[in-house]
């Protein structure tokens, strides 16, 4: 599983990083973000690419587990 650490970055950078990672066509990714906007935008992008997204939150940071 590839981990994308996009904490501290503003949109669209987390989505761009996720898109670049997904070019590898792996079945699972984990994306770390720290804003609600990034969480929503990465989730929307991943779903548009046919992935399922499970989000967990811990002290204002979000972990997005993205799977095919």
């Amino acid at each position: 599983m590839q981990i994308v650490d996009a904490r501290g970055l503003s949109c669209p950078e987390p989505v761009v990083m996720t898109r670049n990672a997904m070019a590898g066509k792996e079945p699972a990714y984990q994306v770390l973000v720290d804003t609600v906007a990034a969480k929503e935008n990465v989730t929307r992008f991943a779903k548009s690419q046919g992935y399922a997204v499970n989000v967990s939150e811990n002290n204002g940071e979000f972990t997005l587990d993205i799977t095919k």
Side-chain angles (χ1 to χ4, degrees):
M1 174 187 324
Q2 185 172 351
I3 297 174
V4 177
D5 188 350
R7 293 174 290 185
L9 301 173
S10 58
C11 283
E13 203 61 32
V15 174
V16 171
M17 291 174 68
T18 302
R19 183 188 69 211
N20 290 343
M22 286 182 171
K25 306 286 188 201
E26 293 183 32
Y29 302 90
Q30 188 173 73
V31 180
L32 309 173
V33 295
D34 57 2
T35 66
V36 172
K39 173 192 69 129
E40 292 173 352
N41 291 338
V42 171
T43 297
R44 189 177 312 112
F45 172 74
K47 287 183 176 181
S48 77
Q49 299 302 303
Y51 287 83
V53 181
N54 182 36
V55 179
S56 57
E57 189 260 337
N58 185 19
N59 292 327
E61 293 188 351
F62 302 94
T63 301
L64 287 72
D65 291 308
I66 300 172
T67 56
K68 262 297 188 195

